[in-house]
Amino acid sequence: MKLKNGCNAAWYELNISAPDDCVSACCYYLGEKDSWSDEYRSLDDYWNSPNMQKIREMNSTPDAELTGGCAGCYFFGHRGEAGSYFPNFLQPYTDLSPAQEANWLAAIDDYNNGSKRIKSTPLRFYINFGFGCNLACTMCHQVPRRKTHKRQVNTDILLKWKPYLKSALNITVIGGEPFVLPEAVKFIQAVINDPELENVELTINTNGTLLHKHLDVLAKKRKLQLAVSLDTIGEEFEKIRVGANWNQVERNIQDFLALGKQLGFPWVVGVPCLLLKTNIPRLPDFVDWTIANDVQPGFYNFIDATGIEKTFAQENVVANPYLLQQVPDWERYFIIAVDKLRNSKWAIVADQLDNLYIQIRQNLSEFEAKKAEKLQTELKQANAELEQSRSQLQPTQAQLEHLRAEKEQLQGVITAMESTKFWKLRTAWFGLKRSMGLVKEPQEKVMTNL
């Protein structure tokens, strides 16, 4: 379905991050954002702030230019397509409470009218409670900042927005690791235990390591889904997700899905996979695992940030395609994994991985072209230096020939002088003086004659 205007994020989501001290429409926006306050503020202060209205203004027409904080974003670049930020934005679900349905229809109306100050409230609350975590993943941009960014979202402030939480379709909790953040755990329990929020879907973004300790609480929530960060399986998983145990995480996911089936709840698990050099050889195995365990994979590119430059240089094969020289048969792993996905229920995900593969090939071609161009430039420079050396050598050779000629000329003069009567008399005279002892021989010569 075509969207009438631009990206729908600013009519759909309120994105909160306490450690980053910001509130916006999504994670990707790079423009000016509002600060998150530890004191209570009304929802409207954030939802209809000048900054949020500016994002809506940029996306209020289908031909908006790629400028401002949305520039370069995938969703902004593909606005107007069904692959936008929230693909089903114009198609309300049937399993809704009256409050949810009314709010969704109001959001569609606000969007279609290109409204900047809107009457609807967020359809999704996306809340980053903090950076605290029990792992030290090699590519995580939060790891270098955990000691200085310890702030957490205050649950009590969020619960004062309960009337608006009831009208939302989804509440997403993320960290860090939510299950090690006290405020996140408190909020999850509050949402699950509140019957007025029963119809609101709860999504928890987790590393899956502590899931087994919270199954009793999670079992009370019918509309629940997990996004478990895996990237791959087995030893490679543990190499990337430092501090995790693959067997424990796998068992936690399987137990969660089994419990959902037992309860008759429509629980689902998604497993986002960050493409890295380390996990490329396991792509087919990872896809097989997702199909066998009925969990939806997702593939995305490396997210660069301050503090993880080393991992970026060593693992980001999209930006640094020459790293693939260290992965024999790398293309075969992509081709097999994509083919497996296309022949499974996750066929829609195949394009994500295939697009990354295509991007890598394009970048690799550009890299090889630049490498060839550089070599060509270096060759031209070497040839130029050689020609310069040759041109400098020619005068030197001419000078050498001139000196040789002068030497030969002088030698001729000496030979001619030695053949004259004067020179012969001079030689005889010096010989006579020497025989009479009038000329003192050099000490070395005297010693030789003894």
Side-chain angles (χ1 to χ4, degrees):
M1 176 178 290
K2 291 287 185 180
L3 298 179
K4 177 179 178 181
N5 295 323
C7 175
N8 52 42
W11 288 268
Y12 169 66
E13 177 175 301
L14 185 70
N15 190 292
I16 301 167
S17 176
D20 283 323
D21 189 30
C22 65
V23 181
S24 188
C26 67
C27 297
Y28 307 98
Y29 185 67
L30 298 177
E32 189 174 355
K33 307 173 185 179
D34 295 305
S35 294
W36 172 252
S37 175
D38 289 329
E39 302 296 329
Y40 173 78
R41 290 175 58 184
S42 71
L43 176 69
D44 193 68
D45 284 347
Y46 297 110
W47 187 233
N48 279 310
S49 72
N51 287 325
M52 288 291 288
Q53 292 187 50
K54 183 177 181 181
I55 301 175
R56 295 182 187 122
E57 182 178 8
M58 281 191 290
N59 288 277
S60 60
T61 59
D63 56 351
E65 295 183 1
L66 286 168
T67 58
C70 291
C73 174
Y74 171 85
F75 297 105
F76 191 90
H78 291 75
R79 63 201 184 283
E81 302 177 8
S84 191
Y85 193 74
F86 179 39
N88 297 317
F89 184 76
L90 300 179
Q91 299 173 313
Y93 305 147
T94 56
D95 184 18
L96 299 174
S97 69
Q100 288 174 314
E101 182 179 10
N103 190 37
W104 196 341
L105 293 174
I108 293 174
D109 186 61
D110 285 332
Y111 172 78
N112 285 333
N113 290 327
S115 301
K116 301 169 187 61
R117 184 174 183 85
I118 59 179
K119 57 183 179 294
S120 59
T121 54
L123 295 177
R124 176 163 86 157
F125 288 85
Y126 185 98
I127 311 161
N128 186 330
F129 273 85
F131 286 167
C133 187
N134 58 332
L135 303 183
C137 304
T138 58
M139 70 299 184
C140 180
H141 65 90
Q142 296 180 2
V143 174
R145 299 189 287 163
R146 282 179 189 158
K147 292 182 179 180
T148 56
H149 294 63
K150 298 182 179 181
R151 189 182 183 202
Q152 295 185 40
V153 172
N154 188 307
T155 293
D156 293 336
I157 291 176
L158 293 175
L159 294 179
K160 290 180 180 179
W161 290 350
K162 181 178 173 179
Y164 310 110
L165 297 176
K166 290 166 52 179
S167 300
L169 307 176
N170 177 276
I171 299 172
T172 296
V173 176
I174 189 172
E177 169 52 47
F179 290 118
V180 302
L181 296 166
E183 289 295 324
V185 173
K186 179 181 177 181
F187 181 76
I188 290 170
Q189 292 174 343
V191 170
I192 289 176
N193 291 324
D194 192 332
E196 293 188 85
L197 299 176
E198 193 275 337
N199 217 47
V200 180
E201 181 183 58
L202 176 63
T203 300
I204 304 174
N205 291 42
T206 174
N207 58 36
T209 58
L210 302 173
L211 197 58
H212 57 293
K213 298 182 178 181
H214 300 272
L215 288 178
D216 289 344
V217 174
L218 298 179
K220 302 176 185 178
K221 184 65 176 174
R222 180 175 65 90
K223 286 189 173 183
L224 177 64
Q225 63 179 7
L226 300 181
V228 183
S229 303
L230 286 191
D231 306 308
T232 188
I233 60 176
E235 292 181 3
E236 288 77 7
F237 167 81
E238 294 179 356
K239 182 178 179 181
I240 296 169
R241 300 277 169 179
V242 180
N245 180 284
W246 165 245
N247 292 330
Q248 180 68 65
V249 172
E250 180 184 34
R251 184 164 57 251
N252 287 348
I253 294 173
Q254 293 170 342
D255 289 348
F256 174 84
L257 290 171
L259 179 59
K261 289 181 180 179
Q262 179 184 336
L263 296 171
F265 291 167
W267 287 358
V268 295
V269 174
V271 284
C273 170
L274 173 64
L275 188 63
L276 300 168
K277 182 189 72 176
T278 296
N279 61 21
I280 289 177
R282 297 301 304 268
L283 282 174
D285 299 329
F286 175 69
V287 170
D288 284 340
W289 185 88
T290 63
I291 294 172
N293 288 277
D294 196 27
V295 297
Q296 180 173 348
F299 300 90
Y300 62 104
N301 192 6
F302 196 99
I303 300 173
D304 190 20
T306 302
I308 55 172
E309 292 85 358
K310 182 178 179 180
T311 305
F312 181 93
Q314 296 177 345
E315 291 282 352
N316 188 347
V317 294
V318 178
N320 307 309
Y322 57 83
L323 292 172
L324 292 167
Q325 297 172 357
Q326 305 170 27
V327 187
D329 296 330
W330 68 271
E331 290 192 80
R332 185 172 65 89
Y333 298 127
F334 276 93
I335 294 170
I336 293 174
V338 169
D339 183 66
K340 288 176 178 289
L341 287 169
R342 292 202 190 285
N343 291 286
S344 73
K345 66 182 293 186
W346 309 124
I348 190 173
V349 181
D351 286 340
Q352 294 178 2
L353 185 58
D354 196 34
N355 286 337
L356 287 168
Y357 171 59
I358 292 171
Q359 188 176 353
I360 289 173
R361 286 180 57 88
Q362 290 174 343
N363 291 351
L364 189 59
S365 296
E366 293 176 4
F367 171 76
E368 294 295 344
K370 289 179 180 179
K371 183 179 179 180
E373 183 180 352
K374 181 181 178 182
L375 290 174
Q376 190 68 25
T377 301
E378 291 175 351
L379 179 60
K380 289 181 179 179
Q381 183 178 354
N383 287 334
E385 291 175 354
L386 179 60
E387 289 300 322
Q388 184 179 5
S389 298
R390 286 175 177 172
S391 63
Q392 291 174 347
L393 184 60
Q394 287 176 353
T396 303
Q397 290 177 330
Q399 292 172 3
L400 181 60
E401 292 299 325
H402 179 70
L403 291 173
R404 285 175 179 172
E406 286 186 345
K407 178 183 177 183
E408 291 176 359
Q409 184 179 4
L410 290 172
Q411 188 65 46
V413 172
I414 293 171
T415 302
M417 289 175 61
E418 289 178 342
S419 64
T420 63
K421 291 181 178 181
F422 171 78
W423 192 268
K424 292 179 178 179
L425 287 172
R426 177 181 178 276
T427 302
W429 168 245
F430 277 109
L432 179 61
K433 290 178 65 177
R434 190 177 296 111
S435 64
M436 296 174 66
L438 299 175
V439 177
K440 188 177 182 181
E441 295 286 349
Q443 185 67 24
E444 182 179 348
K445 193 168 183 180
V446 173
M447 294 285 292
T448 303
N449 292 334
L450 290 177

